[in-house]
Amino acid sequence: MIKHASNKQFLCDKHRALALHNPEQSKRLYCKLRAMARGYIGQQRWDEAVPVCGTAFEAADILLRHDDTSKQATERYLRSAIELSYTLRKSRHEPDLGAMIALVEQRLAPHYAPAPLQTMLAPLIDIAFSPLADVDEWMEVLLAMDDAHKQTRH
């Protein structure tokens, strides 16, 4: 669980309980939050994007709990961690991204051998610790690829 600056969870207890008991609702929540976050990121409204990305990350974590062996759930979780880490770096927050990486590693470790897990974590580590100018370029490409992928679906 990730907490924001005031040391509170992103997802309130009521919505966490609802999401835990209804995976389909959790998926809809995640999609809605991710779209909202992308809007804020596109407008470079970093401080507004942080709680939305954080809530999406928590929703992705809940979905991973429901289906922890699913490749899609793992990818959703990792992508959410990457987007939250990037948004935190761009915002006025002072994130502990080492703790974020440790959290993601701890969450995924029971399901993956060490070598594949380190490969999976490499993009998150790069986002957290590479020069921000490089990260900006990577994220611009990543987000553009996502947009292109959405447009080609039929």
Side-chain angles (χ1 to χ4, degrees):
M1 176 178 349
I2 294 289
K3 298 181 180 185
H4 56 77
S6 61
N7 211 26
K8 295 180 182 175
Q9 300 170 163
F10 287 105
L11 198 55
C12 73
D13 290 337
K14 175 186 172 187
H15 285 102
R16 178 179 314 288
L18 289 170
L20 282 168
H21 297 293
N22 190 335
E24 287 307 312
Q25 187 173 356
S26 297
K27 285 179 187 176
R28 286 190 299 275
L29 174 66
Y30 172 79
C31 290
K32 179 180 176 183
L33 290 166
R34 189 164 183 217
M36 186 184 305
R38 290 292 178 86
Y40 288 138
I41 290 169
Q43 296 170 17
Q44 298 184 0
R45 294 167 55 187
W46 307 112
D47 292 321
E48 293 170 79
V50 167
V52 177
C53 287
T55 307
F57 176 71
E58 288 187 19
D61 181 63
I62 289 168
L63 289 166
L64 186 63
R65 289 181 202 183
H66 284 287
D67 193 7
D68 58 14
T69 59
S70 162
K71 181 180 176 185
Q72 183 180 13
T74 300
E75 288 175 0
R76 179 188 305 118
Y77 181 75
L78 285 168
R79 178 61 69 88
S80 296
I82 287 168
E83 290 178 10
L84 176 58
S85 296
Y86 177 64
T87 303
L88 283 165
R89 282 197 71 187
K90 296 292 285 186
S91 73
R92 290 182 282 156
H93 295 270
E94 294 183 21
D96 180 356
L97 295 178
M100 175 77 165
I101 293 165
L103 175 73
V104 171
E105 184 173 20
Q106 178 185 15
R107 181 70 180 85
L108 296 176
H111 310 289
Y112 295 94
L117 180 58
Q118 289 308 309
T119 300
M120 292 168 63
L121 292 174
L124 179 60
I125 293 167
D126 288 343
I127 294 297
F129 299 114
S130 294
L132 198 50
D134 293 341
V135 173
D136 285 338
E137 287 181 31
W138 300 335
M139 289 301 295
E140 184 177 322
V141 169
L142 182 67
L143 296 173
M145 286 173 35
D146 279 356
D147 288 343
H149 181 70
K150 275 193 274 184
Q151 293 173 358
T152 58
R153 289 186 188 164
H154 297 290

